[in-house]
Amino acid sequence: MEASIGVFDSGVGGLTVAREIIRQLPSENVIYFGDTARVPYGSKSKQTVLKYSKQIVRFLNTKNVKAIVIACNTASALALDEIAAESKIPVIGVVRPGARMAVECTETKNIGVIATDATIKSGIYTDYIRSLDKEVTVVGKACPLFVPLVEEGLLEDRITDDMVDRYLSEIKAYNVDALVLGCTHYPLLANPIKRYMGNKVTLVNPAYETAKELKTLLRENNMLNINNTPKYEFYVSDGIDKFKSFADKVLPVNVTAVNVVDIESY
């Protein structure tokens, strides 16, 4: 099926998911939407995140996508179940693939989860991880300032190191040996997080695990593109130049064009 994979996020963080999809599924067409006008989602209510997510899904469906990846942990936590129930095409999120890998990785049975305030409060990672292994202790921590640090490109900066120390000192005390980067922006801070947590802690990147799950889903449903020259389309709700600059740093392909969408009209 030459139809595209639809991918959406609250902003640029979901590009880490798009990057993994492009790497692991090199024949797939990808349409990415970043809701840059309304970022961040992590501090918003479930009702608002659900409304935004449904608008974006309606937009992606106008592009006749064959599957949708919610490349946002907050939207995966608060909107995935309802959207998937209403959708005629497969919809997957980033929470469950990441949670499964964390359970596979841990030996101490202590797993850390860092995410937005909304994702932590939803309890979705804790609930899903403990449904897989009731003996696991999950330590969650909201890290709201990580998103603006990434959006501003401060990936290697003293202020970022300071915030890593402030947020993760509590988690470090719990002897975790797996840490879920439970927001799509956070893999871009993997270096300072790894330096702080040390080599005994495995950083789990849900973006990587989600791309693996998507590949399996497409193969099982005979929807996988093979030997196709892929096309990539990028849409945002605001801020083309900033998005393009960021995308060029993150993605393994050149972003030639970015289009603005009036997402409120969907």
Side-chain angles (χ1 to χ4, degrees):
M1 286 182 72
E2 287 191 11
S4 300
I5 307 298
V7 181
F8 79 87
D9 180 52
S10 59
V12 300
L15 290 169
T16 60
V17 180
R19 174 174 64 185
E20 293 299 335
I21 292 170
I22 290 167
R23 283 175 176 166
Q24 296 184 43
L25 295 120
S27 291
E28 294 297 338
N29 304 315
V30 176
I31 296 174
Y32 182 94
F33 178 85
D35 199 2
T36 44
R38 304 186 293 195
V39 68
Y41 282 11
S43 56
K44 294 180 171 65
S45 68
K46 177 174 180 174
Q47 185 178 6
T48 297
V49 171
L50 188 58
K51 174 191 166 188
Y52 289 177
S53 299
K54 286 185 174 183
Q55 288 174 329
I56 297 165
V57 168
R58 284 194 285 269
F59 163 70
L60 289 173
N61 281 329
T62 68
K63 302 293 182 182
N64 296 315
V65 294
K66 63 183 178 182
I68 291 175
V69 177
I70 303 180
C72 170
N73 283 265
T74 302
S76 294
L78 303 182
L80 172 63
D81 288 346
E82 190 164 328
I83 286 172
E86 295 174 357
S87 179
K88 295 176 181 174
I89 58 172
V91 182
I92 66 171
V94 288
V95 170
R96 288 173 184 169
R100 279 197 294 272
M101 179 51 62
V103 171
E104 285 179 30
C105 285
T106 186
E107 293 180 3
T108 65
K109 301 283 190 181
N110 294 325
I111 294 174
V113 177
I114 54 174
T116 63
D117 193 48
T119 300
I120 294 298
K121 283 182 177 172
S122 75
I124 189 166
Y125 269 106
T126 300
D127 292 346
Y128 191 65
I129 287 170
R130 286 184 57 74
S131 76
L132 299 173
D133 187 343
K134 287 185 169 53
E135 294 181 8
V136 169
T137 298
V138 182
V139 186
K141 180 69 177 176
C143 306
L145 290 178
F146 279 0
V147 170
L149 287 171
V150 169
E151 299 261 347
E152 291 301 320
L154 300 172
L155 307 184
E156 292 285 355
D157 192 275
R158 193 173 66 196
I159 190 171
T160 304
D161 289 333
D162 288 346
M163 293 316 301
V164 168
D165 183 10
R166 174 173 290 196
Y167 285 142
L168 300 189
S169 58
E170 189 179 318
I171 283 185
K172 201 172 184 179
Y174 275 88
N175 190 34
V176 302
D177 65 349
L179 179 64
V180 180
L181 305 179
C183 169
T184 49
H185 287 71
Y186 295 2
L188 297 168
L189 297 177
N191 286 340
I193 292 171
K194 187 72 176 174
R195 278 197 302 270
Y196 183 78
M197 295 302 295
N199 290 328
K200 292 182 180 177
V201 177
T202 299
L203 301 188
V204 176
N205 180 359
Y208 180 82
E209 305 305 327
T210 300
K212 275 182 16 186
E213 181 163 306
L214 175 64
K215 187 173 186 176
T216 300
L217 183 149
L218 294 178
R219 186 186 292 122
E220 288 176 350
N221 288 278
N222 295 317
M223 297 164 69
L224 202 60
N225 273 349
I226 299 169
N227 299 325
N228 173 57
T229 301
K231 297 189 289 288
Y232 305 114
E233 298 175 40
F234 299 93
Y235 299 88
V236 294
S237 47
D238 194 24
I240 285 177
D241 291 341
K242 189 174 178 182
F243 177 89
K244 188 175 184 306
S245 172
F246 200 93
D248 283 335
K249 293 173 189 170
V250 173
L251 295 177
V253 296
N254 289 327
V255 179
T256 54
V258 181
N259 297 293
V260 173
V261 174
D262 177 14
I263 199 65
E264 293 280 1
S265 66
Y266 287 87

